[in-house]
Amino acid sequence: MKALSIFFLWGLCAFWGIIPNKTVDKVDLKRFGGTWYSLSSIPTMFDKGSRETTTHYTWDKGGYYTVVTTCKEGKIHSIKSKIFPDKDNPGNGQMKAQFIWPIKIDYWVIDLAPDYSWAVVGHPDYRFLFIMSRKPFMEKKTYDEIVAHCKAMGYPVEKLVLQQFANELQ
């Protein structure tokens, strides 16, 4: 019932266009670490054409995540990066990604399951969107609710590209 109420509220807000593009209020940085499967994304110029993308976040004692992203683009590729939580409020979902030093880009956790079974990462200017799960699959109903919420926030969800292992949402 709670999920239905939230979905209904998202629908009403979308109708009136009042869901702002903002981060979640709280991210437990220890729970966020680990492996995530990218089920779909609005690709960036770096990951167009990639499939079966997994990302592993390891917390570093320096106060950031060391990230290894692995995907298939004909053959398997891996890229290393860092994710930095907001220094002033490290658990607020506003993070910065760094692929090339010293450049950092906004990396916002905009939606997150209470049990950390899925997460959605976006950008304040709607430049990219990643729907991620702890497993390489998700119930179709849950996925559709997440996409509806992203659309209500203003993301161009028609640009979402499914990852190969997510083609059959359950």
Side-chain angles (χ1 to χ4, degrees):
M1 184 66 166
K2 183 179 176 183
L4 184 60
S5 298
I6 291 170
F7 186 68
F8 178 73
L9 180 60
W10 285 342
L12 282 177
C13 291
F15 178 75
W16 286 310
I18 59 172
I19 294 181
N21 182 23
K22 66 181 189 93
T23 64
V24 296
D25 293 330
K26 179 78 175 135
V27 175
D28 180 329
L29 296 174
K30 287 184 181 179
R31 289 183 73 191
F32 192 77
T35 300
W36 292 96
Y37 294 86
S38 179
L39 299 182
S40 66
S41 66
I42 296 174
T44 67
M45 65 181 177
F46 300 110
D47 56 4
K48 285 185 178 174
S50 63
R51 295 283 178 248
E52 297 182 26
T53 303
T54 58
T55 306
H56 187 78
Y57 296 74
T58 303
W59 186 252
D60 187 279
K61 61 185 173 189
Y64 59 87
Y65 291 106
T66 299
V67 181
V68 177
T69 302
T70 304
C71 65
K72 289 183 180 177
E73 290 180 34
K75 60 183 180 175
I76 297 175
H77 293 278
S78 290
I79 186 168
K80 292 183 180 181
S81 61
K82 294 178 181 177
I83 303 290
F84 296 88
D86 184 334
K87 288 182 182 180
D88 297 327
N89 189 357
N92 71 359
Q94 289 189 19
M95 301 186 201
K96 299 277 188 182
Q98 184 179 66
F99 294 92
I100 302 169
W101 184 86
I103 301 166
K104 293 181 184 174
I105 60 169
D106 289 308
Y107 187 91
W108 282 13
V109 179
I110 62 168
D111 207 354
L112 183 61
D115 64 357
Y116 286 66
S117 61
W118 56 263
V120 182
V121 173
H123 187 273
D125 294 333
Y126 308 94
R127 292 183 184 167
F128 57 78
L129 183 70
F130 297 94
I131 298 175
M132 307 183 308
S133 175
R134 294 293 187 176
K135 299 177 182 176
F137 57 85
M138 177 183 286
E139 289 183 14
K140 184 169 179 6
K141 179 182 177 202
T142 302
Y143 179 82
D144 290 344
E145 289 172 353
I146 293 168
V147 171
H149 183 224
C150 293
K151 182 176 182 175
M153 292 176 78
Y155 283 90
V157 297
E158 65 279 357
K159 293 182 179 179
L160 280 170
V161 175
L162 284 174
Q163 291 283 322
Q164 188 172 354
F165 50 59
N167 283 338
E168 293 188 29
L169 296 170
Q170 299 180 354

